[in-house]
Structures are given as structure tokens and as C-alpha cells.
Amino acid sequence: MTQIDQNSERTVTVIGGGVAGMSAACALAEAGLRVHLVERRGYLGGRASSYLHPGVNEVIDNCQHVLFGCCTNLIAFYQRIGVLDQIHWTSDMTMIEPGGQRSVLGPSVLPAPLHGLPKMMTAHAFTFADKLSLARAFNALFRPVQADSTETLSEWLMRHKQTSGAVERFWRLVIASALNADLDAIAVPYAAKVVRELFMNSAEAGRMGMSTVPLSQLYSGAEAFLKSKAAELHLNSNIESAAWDEETSMWTVATRSGPLLTDYLIVALPFEATAKLIPNLPPVVSADALTAQIEHHEHWPISSVHLWFDREITDLPHAVLLDREIHWMYNKGRLQPWRNVKGNYLELVQSASRAFAALPREQAIEQAVNELAEFFPAVRSAKLEKAALVKEVRATFGVPPGIDRFRPDAQSSPWPNLFLAGDWTATGWPSTMESAARSGHLAAEALCAAINAPRKFLALDLKPQGLMRFFKA
Ligand SMILES: Cc1cc2nc3c(=O)[nH]c(=O)nc-3n(C[C@H](O)[C@H](O)[C@H](O)COP(=O)(O)OP(=O)(O)OC[C@H]3O[C@@H](n4cnc5c(N)ncnc54)[C@H](O)[C@@H]3O)c2cc1C
């Protein structure tokens, strides 16, 4: 990549060391700007991070994070920082019913969108009526969904006569859980996007990736990359305000190591942290409009239960668990063999479950273990050596109908030389690492355009394959 005006000494300070801030900082550092990345915590990663849990004395992720082949900006970011080879990819999804009956969904040699059909047809998890109703819904999704549709996913499912099996075991468990919200709080275009990307466009788009190292270790690649580009990291620096000097056209932010003067700011914070910062930025009339936009956003929780058993419970690397509160099982010992786990280290994830997130620790762990035993009888004879419960109450933002009007884009900040990023900004993606990486790349592009050095950081979407090439999204 050609460097931007290397001697210009133009500086950009990125506030927030999550995926959004890291991807913006790395793109701009590579382009030749002088970059400062300021993060409140002592490590990078934000909502996708890991830490030494004192209760179990293990480094655990705050929650299993998965990506998919369609996450082109996240993959581009991983490529840039040299960690893509630490992602384990898989194309099969094992669904297990209480009692242990298994069904495997995944691609075949048929062209998209038929690639998933053979395994779907033989899946025990769905009755013939469920399969017909899913086929009806997928058929409807060949047509573009109106971006401004006010219909909720639950209304749409009713209109397309989905059976209760299809609703519970596919729409609620797979799609609503990927969007981390209830069916009646999801806008149809977001659900359609997930279905098309994961199940229709191509086998490559739908494959799932999981890190083979703890998330903070994965993202330490960004730290090394930034240092190699002479960028500066300011950890443990909580930014509470920023001042704009009209005469010099410079921003000043107070970091832990002293005031930082910078030409440009990228605010890459979650929506509530952005709202907190706004009153402490220079007063401008349209700041109220931004605050009003933020007020429309709402959080959804995700909980995860980490269990260490003295013996093997399952050799499956991961599975979708049907009809219970625990939704996803990740066999962390298998996915991360360097852990040298003697028995099994399993992580169970509960998406969009406010009821589960409200349970006290002991009760949540007991419920998770009891439910797990319904899928894997070996649990009953195994000894649970240790357990941890992680509740992320503010895990993701919701995507109800109409939410796009309240997702500002990178350039729509009311302050000079200040750009917005973060998964909640206008990326068209739900609350994911891909949305965060996209927002970082979009903010970096907006900044380069502002200094008359336009360049592209946004990675192209994967092209639909097979017959899907003939259907417009
Ligand atoms: C439990 C859980 C499970 C998830 N599962 C998945 C998944 O499987 N797949 C997926 O793609 N996504 C998943 N997500 C969502 C994903 O983690 C987020 O969408 C993404 O990480 C958001 O990145 P971000 O940079 O926009 O925000 P954040 O990660 O929130 O980063 C913002 C950063 O700003 C810092 N900060 C805040 N205030 C200040 C301040 N005043 N000064 C300086 N720094 C500040 C924070 O410490 C943080 O590091 C999950 C999230 C959670 C919590």
C-alpha cells in the first residue's frame, strides 16, 4: 500500500481498543498516518476479550466468539495483523435433541443455494412439515426484503406459515440467537441477511470460524502490528472529554500519560460510552440529534457457563443444543489443544436470554449441567471439577424494525475532524465483530477522504455462488 504523505506528521487518535478501534487504527497506521490508540482497559479486544478468571485459575474468553466466511472485513483485519492462521474453520453444524439424537447440517457438492439441501432433508431435528415450511421461507428470501420494512421477524414467520418446529429449532435457535434478540424484536432485513449469508449464498460464506487461542492473545496481534508501524498505544486511559482548538484545528485528549494533541479523532466506542462522552465534547447544536439517535438503542445479554469435567463428555468440537436454555456447546479443550485438558472443558452459551442472565450463579450452573446431561449422558457419571459463569448484560445491541435510522455513519459526527466507529454505527450488519471491523474500515476511509487521500479499506463482500448469482439481495 502506498503511504499517505509520509512527512505530514498527521496524527489520528482512536478512542476505544475493541475490534472497531483496532481495525481503524491498523488500517490508518498501514496507510502511513501517525496513530495513537487509547483504551480504557489494560488490554485490547473490548467485548471480544479473555482474562485470567480468578475463580477457576484459567484464561477464558468473556464468551465464545464465532465468525463466518462472509465476515470479509474481520478476515481482512485478521490478515493485516497476521492472525488468520489462528482461526479454525468448520462447515458442519451438529444439532442435538434432548436424548442425544443428532442431525448434521452442512454443505454438499450441489451449487448454492442447494448445497445445504441434502443434509437438511435427512436431518432428524426437523419433521417433513418443518422442512416444507423452511423451504417456503427460504423461497421467499430469494426476493429482496425491503430495507425499511417495519415487520418483525415473528410477524414475518407467521405470514410465511412456519411450523413450531421450524420456529423453535431454526428461527429462534439459529437465527435469533445469531442476532441475539427475541423474534419479535428483530427486523426482517437483518434475519434475511443472516439466512442468505449463512445458508444460501455459498458454502464459503456459511463456514464458521473459531479462534484456537484466547481472544486477547488473538488481538495482541494488533498490538504488535501497531508497534511495528510506530503507532502508540495508551492502555488504562479512560477518555472522559476532548477539547477542540479552533485556531490550531487540533483536538486534545487527556490520557493517563498526559494530554495528547491530535489532528483527527475516531471515537470507536459502544453506544452508551459514546453517549457519555458527548456532553464532554465541545458544545454543538446537532450533538443533541446524535444523543437522540443513541437513545433508541437497546442492549441484549449473553451468558456463558464454563465447565471442566474430569473425563470426556463428548468429542464433538461444537454443537447446537435443541429445546433447552443452553443453546451452543463449544468443546474448548478440543478447539484449543494447547490447553492439555485431561477431561473436557466445555463452554455453553445462552443467547438473548434475559431470564437465564438473571439467575444466581449456583442456580445457573446447576441448570446448565442438568440440561447438558440430557444431551450427553456421560455428564451424570463425570465429576465437575470447576465451573465459571460469565454474564455479559450489555453484550450486543438489538436490531428491531426501524433501527437503521438511528445508526449514524462515520462522517455524521457533528464535530470537526471527528469520525464515528463501533459495531452500532451504520454498517448494515448486526452487533458482531464483522460490524465492528467494517465500522473501523469505514471510519478510516472517511478520514482519508477528508485529507484528500482517498483510499479503500472496506473489504468486498463475498460474491454469491452457483444459482444465487442470479438473485439480487
Ligand atoms: C458475550 C458476547 C458474545 C458475543 N459473541 C459474538 C460472536 O460470536 N460473534 C461476533 O461476531 N460477535 C459477538 N459478540 C459481539 C462482539 O463482541 C461486538 O460486536 C464487538 O466486539 C464490538 O466491537 P467494538 O469495537 O464496536 O466495541 P467494544 O468491543 O465494546 O470496544 C470498545 C472499547 O472501548 C473501550 N472504552 C470504553 N469507554 C472508553 C473510554 N471512555 N475511553 C477509552 N476507552 C474506552 C472499551 O474498554 C472497549 O475496549 C459478542 C459479544 C459479547 C459481549
Side-chain angles (χ1 to χ4, degrees):
M1 182 182 280
T2 49
Q3 302 275 291
I4 289 173
D5 191 6
Q6 286 186 21
N7 302 318
S8 73
E9 295 288 290
R10 265 194 276 236
T11 51
V12 52
T13 296
V14 180
I15 306 178
V19 174
M22 287 187 288
S23 54
C26 291
L28 292 170
E30 189 176 79
L33 274 98
R34 291 196 52 207
V35 174
H36 294 268
L37 178 59
V38 186
E39 165 56 43
R40 178 173 60 110
R41 291 174 170 163
Y43 50 89
L44 298 178
R47 272 172 282 159
S49 48
S50 48
Y51 56 94
L52 180 67
H53 190 292
V56 288
N57 198 28
E58 300 267 0
V59 174
I60 63 170
D61 293 336
N62 67 331
C63 187
Q64 174 69 47
H65 275 62
V66 301
L67 65 144
F68 291 91
C70 54
C71 298
T72 50
N73 282 272
L74 187 64
I75 291 171
F77 168 57
Y78 287 169
Q79 234 155 6
R80 178 168 282 135
I81 64 173
V83 301
L84 192 54
D85 60 350
Q86 293 177 39
I87 302 297
H88 166 81
W89 292 98
T90 175
S91 293
D92 284 341
M93 183 189 283
T94 305
M95 295 183 133
I96 314 183
E97 295 163 60
Q101 173 97 278
R102 294 183 185 186
S103 309
V104 180
L105 301 186
S108 66
V109 291
L110 293 180
L114 306 172
H115 57 293
L117 198 60
K119 285 189 178 162
M120 177 52 113
M121 288 312 289
T122 56
H124 288 283
F126 301 103
T127 63
F128 186 66
D130 296 338
K131 287 170 192 170
L132 270 186
S133 85
L134 284 171
R136 199 164 41 241
F138 276 47
N139 189 39
L141 292 176
F142 281 122
R143 293 185 294 280
V145 175
Q146 255 187 301
D148 58 354
S149 155
T150 56
E151 200 174 22
T152 65
L153 180 55
S154 59
E155 289 162 348
W156 190 92
L157 296 177
M158 227 183 304
R159 192 157 63 80
H160 290 86
K161 299 188 175 41
Q162 295 299 286
T163 58
S164 62
V167 170
E168 290 308 318
R169 293 184 164 185
F170 182 76
W171 294 103
R172 194 184 300 284
L173 192 54
V174 181
I175 305 305
S177 128
L179 292 165
N180 196 36
D182 289 340
L183 295 170
D184 56 9
I186 292 174
V188 177
Y190 282 95
K193 185 176 193 61
V194 175
V195 173
R196 284 181 81 114
E197 292 290 2
L198 268 48
F199 296 96
M200 294 172 81
N201 277 352
S202 68
E204 188 189 354
R207 70 192 180 130
M208 184 166 100
M210 291 161 281
S211 176
T212 56
V213 295
L215 289 167
S216 296
Q217 191 175 325
L218 189 73
Y219 291 124
S220 65
E223 189 167 342
F225 178 87
L226 287 169
K227 285 184 177 156
S228 76
K229 301 285 174 205
E232 284 181 45
L233 249 71
H234 307 261
L235 298 176
N236 299 306
S237 283
N238 186 28
I239 301 303
E240 287 172 358
S241 62
W244 169 251
D245 186 330
E246 199 71 59
E247 261 172 44
T248 58
S249 292
M250 298 281 280
W251 284 97
T252 308
V253 287
T255 71
R256 201 165 177 245
S257 43
L260 194 59
L261 258 71
T262 183
D263 297 293
Y264 297 93
L265 272 186
I266 293 182
V267 175
L269 300 176
F271 65 84
E272 71 278 24
T274 307
K276 226 167 132 187
L277 189 62
I278 290 174
N280 301 316
L281 294 176
V284 286
V285 179
S286 35
D288 288 347
L290 182 58
T291 304
Q293 280 189 306
I294 292 176
E295 279 166 4
H296 284 87
H297 288 272
E298 189 192 9
H299 277 118
W300 285 84
I302 301 181
S303 306
S304 56
V305 178
H306 301 245
L307 304 170
W308 283 262
F309 290 101
D310 67 338
R311 67 199 68 177
E312 186 167 279
I313 303 299
T314 176
D315 62 355
L316 275 177
H318 70 96
V320 183
L321 308 176
L322 302 174
D323 307 336
R324 293 293 178 269
E325 277 287 307
I326 51 172
H327 300 150
W328 303 86
M329 182 280 292
Y330 299 94
N331 190 335
K332 300 292 278 196
R334 262 196 79 127
L335 293 165
Q336 304 185 335
W338 52 267
R339 285 184 184 267
N340 285 325
V341 179
K342 281 204 203 81
N344 258 177
Y345 163 25
L346 307 181
E347 182 181 337
L348 308 175
V349 177
Q350 296 76 26
S351 303
S353 172
R354 292 192 161 128
F356 192 91
L359 291 178
R361 179 184 179 278
E362 294 310 324
Q363 203 179 326
I365 291 171
E366 192 187 332
Q367 179 174 333
V369 172
N370 288 341
E371 289 187 2
L372 189 67
E374 295 186 63
F375 300 94
F376 304 105
V379 169
R380 295 199 184 95
S381 49
K383 182 172 168 229
L384 180 63
E385 293 190 316
K386 52 188 177 181
L389 169 69
V390 183
K391 292 181 191 176
E392 289 278 357
V393 180
R394 295 172 171 184
T396 59
F397 62 88
V399 284
I403 195 65
D404 286 347
R405 278 182 290 139
F406 308 115
R407 297 182 73 181
D409 60 27
Q411 300 94 319
S412 59
S413 117
W415 296 276
N417 294 9
L418 187 153
F419 302 89
L420 296 172
D423 62 352
W424 66 282
T425 58
T427 65
W429 278 67
S431 185
T432 50
M433 296 184 290
E434 170 63 12
S435 182
R438 267 176 194 246
S439 76
H441 291 161
L442 287 167
E445 282 186 3
L447 192 156
C448 289
I451 58 174
N452 291 323
R455 60 187 55 215
K456 282 268 160 230
F457 296 114
L458 196 68
L460 294 178
D461 290 339
L462 285 184
K463 286 210 170 78
Q465 300 289 313
L467 307 174
M468 285 306 286
R469 283 173 299 164
F470 306 109
F471 295 97
K472 264 181 74 182

